Amino acid sequence: MFSALRNRKVQIAGQTVVITALVGGTAAFVGLNKQVDLTVDGETQQVRTFSDSVSDVLESNDVDVAQDDQVQPGADAGITRGMNIIVNTSKDIDLTLDGVTSEESTIGNTVAEALAELGVDPEGAEVSTDLDATLADGENSEFSVVTPKTITVVADGDRTPVDVTAATAQDVLDEADIELGDQDTVSTPLSAPVSDGGVIEVLRTSTDEKTETETIEKKVTEKNDSSLPRGEKKVETEGKDGKREIVYAVTTVNGEEVKRTKKSEEVVAQAKDEVVLIGTKEPEPAPAPEDNGGDDSGDSGDSGDSGDSGGSGQEDNGDRSPMSKSEIQAMLGGPGSRWYNIVKCESEFNPRAVNQQNNAHFGLFQFKIASWQGVGGSGNPADAHPREQFKRAKMLQQQYGWGQWACA
């Protein structure tokens, strides 16, 4: 009996050891098994793990982490009960911003998060995809954003700031209700992207026909005529200018001509040639002077240069003493003398007279400098002695006649 009791005690003791072991193991199991939240690209699940680090949890749940992915806390962080492990994977997107497309990467999980990460403010912008659209698994990887902007449109003489949400120059013109003609051009390509503060100028271009009348100058032919005094001209056949009409294609930009091309021309009035006779007849020798006329010469102001070859008066005897007005009048032959009348008309007997209208005729006979030099004079005729002036005047008259003076 004792032996049976002893065996029963041994059995109970063994069971107690087993129960103790089971209770201790369960406690250890429960202590090592932790519950954590695992959020991958915005989707959260609760997992239990015996792992000691974040990287072990990710590996045991088949979450592959690339270099550009974001893990919070870090992959080497220890595991605590109830912690939240967040993984945001890097995603490739094609973003078209105001007409310019670029390839970008983001750890954002929605379109809004991606724009925020890239520094694009969607406020007031036109976005081709809903801002809450997910980017997981390559979804919605292509989208466009057109931001609001102010563009200055210059057209038809007006400079107008336009608030638009437009990506290209064509979009701006459409929103501003600017229509382009067939030949109109724009300062920037219509497909070019635009930016805030930009300027778009519309160049109104047109090509119109324009008819202009041009003068066809008459041809003038000169012929020598021995019956006319030397130097005299006479129109034998009167000519007339002609006319032609020319049609041009004229291109204007904003009203200013930039190009013209001749399309046709037509003579509407023929030009008529003119024939002019030029006298070559030598002048008749002038009669010898009737008196002792002076030695100086002159040149008419308004009617030409000339002197009197015949007139009266004293010859130039070399006397250079000053002469009074009465002495000059006596030298010219006195009243009634042709020389007297010429000098009275031309200079009022003033040997130093200068034509006040043109400052080009000088002395008693109002010589031109060229005529004075042509008969051997030097310097200014008004500086020469009256006798010298009379002498040169008579030489001029002998060569070219009385027609050199209107007063003759």
Side-chain angles (χ1 to χ4, degrees):
M1 181 176 180
F2 178 80
S3 177
L5 180 60
R6 182 180 178 186
N7 290 336
R8 179 62 179 166
K9 289 181 178 180
V10 170
Q11 183 182 7
I12 292 172
Q15 291 176 347
T16 300
V17 170
V18 171
I19 292 172
T20 300
L22 289 174
V23 171
T26 299
F29 176 85
V30 172
L32 294 175
N33 185 12
K34 309 176 187 68
Q35 178 180 302
V36 298
D37 291 335
L38 176 59
T39 302
V40 179
D41 288 337
E43 294 186 2
T44 302
Q45 60 177 326
Q46 291 183 344
V47 298
R48 290 187 173 274
T49 181
F50 291 100
S51 302
D52 295 325
S53 67
V54 170
S55 60
D56 291 339
V57 173
L58 297 179
E59 183 178 355
S60 63
N61 286 274
D62 297 326
V63 178
D64 294 329
V65 178
Q67 180 178 356
D68 294 332
D69 294 345
Q70 180 191 60
V71 179
Q72 294 179 330
D76 296 332
I79 299 299
T80 60
R81 189 181 308 278
M83 75 182 300
N84 189 11
I85 301 174
I86 301 174
V87 177
N88 291 317
T89 60
S90 178
K91 308 163 189 70
D92 294 329
I93 60 173
D94 291 329
L95 172 63
T96 301
L97 179 61
D98 288 331
V100 179
T101 301
S102 61
E103 295 180 354
E104 306 288 348
S105 61
T106 179
I107 58 173
N109 297 315
T110 65
V111 172
E113 291 175 0
L115 293 179
E117 182 185 349
L118 296 173
V120 179
D121 185 3
E123 181 70 26
E126 292 182 358
V127 184
S128 63
T129 304
D130 190 89
L131 291 175
D132 294 329
T134 181
L135 299 178
D137 299 328
E139 295 182 29
N140 304 305
S141 61
E142 296 183 10
F143 57 92
S144 62
V145 179
V146 181
T147 61
K149 51 189 71 71
T150 299
I151 306 295
T152 299
V153 177
V154 181
D156 303 319
D158 296 326
R159 189 179 184 90
T160 308
V162 181
D163 295 324
V164 294
T165 304
T168 66
Q170 180 67 72
D171 296 337
V172 174
L173 296 180
D174 290 343
E175 292 198 29
D177 292 328
I178 300 295
E179 295 184 1
L180 298 179
D182 293 339
Q183 297 186 61
D184 293 343
T185 57
V186 181
S187 59
T188 185
L190 293 175
S191 60
V194 292
S195 57
D196 188 39
V199 177
I200 298 176
E201 182 177 3
V202 177
L203 306 176
R204 297 296 190 189
T205 306
S206 64
T207 301
D208 303 298
E209 286 190 358
K210 183 178 181 180
T211 301
E212 295 184 356
T213 301
E214 293 185 356
T215 298
I216 305 174
E217 294 187 358
K218 62 187 177 184
K219 181 181 178 182
V220 179
T221 302
E222 295 184 345
K223 293 170 54 177
N224 292 333
D225 190 327
S226 60
S227 65
L228 293 177
R230 178 184 296 278
E232 185 175 325
K233 293 184 179 181
K234 180 181 179 181
V235 176
E236 181 182 48
T237 303
E238 186 173 354
K240 184 179 181 181
D241 291 337
K243 293 181 180 180
R244 68 165 61 92
E245 288 185 350
I246 303 178
V247 178
Y248 294 97
V250 179
T251 301
T252 60
V253 176
N254 289 345
E256 295 187 6
E257 181 178 328
V258 296
K259 179 183 178 182
R260 67 168 47 202
T261 304
K262 183 187 292 187
K263 297 186 65 178
S264 64
E265 68 174 78
E266 179 184 3
V267 176
V268 295
Q270 294 288 347
K272 182 179 179 181
D273 293 345
E274 183 168 289
V275 178
V276 178
L277 302 178
I278 305 297
T280 60
K281 182 180 179 180
E282 295 294 338
E284 297 291 335
E290 298 177 357
D291 55 20
N292 295 325
D295 57 353
D296 297 343
S297 64
D299 187 359
S300 163
D302 296 335
S303 58
D305 297 332
S306 164
D308 190 346
S309 63
S312 58
Q314 302 173 356
E315 292 291 336
D316 185 1
N317 56 13
D319 182 10
R320 293 295 181 267
S321 59
M323 296 182 69
S324 66
K325 181 177 180 179
S326 60
E327 290 176 331
I328 292 175
Q329 292 173 337
M331 176 188 70
L332 297 171
S337 166
R338 200 167 192 177
W339 287 114
Y340 182 101
N341 294 333
I342 289 174
V343 175
K344 179 179 180 181
C345 174
E346 295 288 344
S347 64
E348 280 295 330
F349 307 103
N350 179 8
R352 300 189 64 80
V354 178
N355 186 296
Q356 297 301 314
Q357 295 181 349
N358 55 30
N359 293 321
H361 300 86
F362 307 91
L364 290 169
F365 302 91
Q366 291 292 281
F367 268 100
K368 292 180 182 176
I369 295 298
S371 299
W372 174 255
Q373 294 175 347
V375 291
S378 62
N380 191 315
D383 296 329
H385 193 273
R387 295 185 188 280
E388 172 75 1
Q389 294 186 39
F390 191 23
K391 175 182 177 180
R392 303 296 175 193
K394 288 187 290 184
M395 295 171 63
L396 186 64
Q397 189 277 333
Q398 289 176 358
Q399 293 182 33
Y400 301 106
W402 293 104
Q404 298 297 304
W405 290 275
C407 297

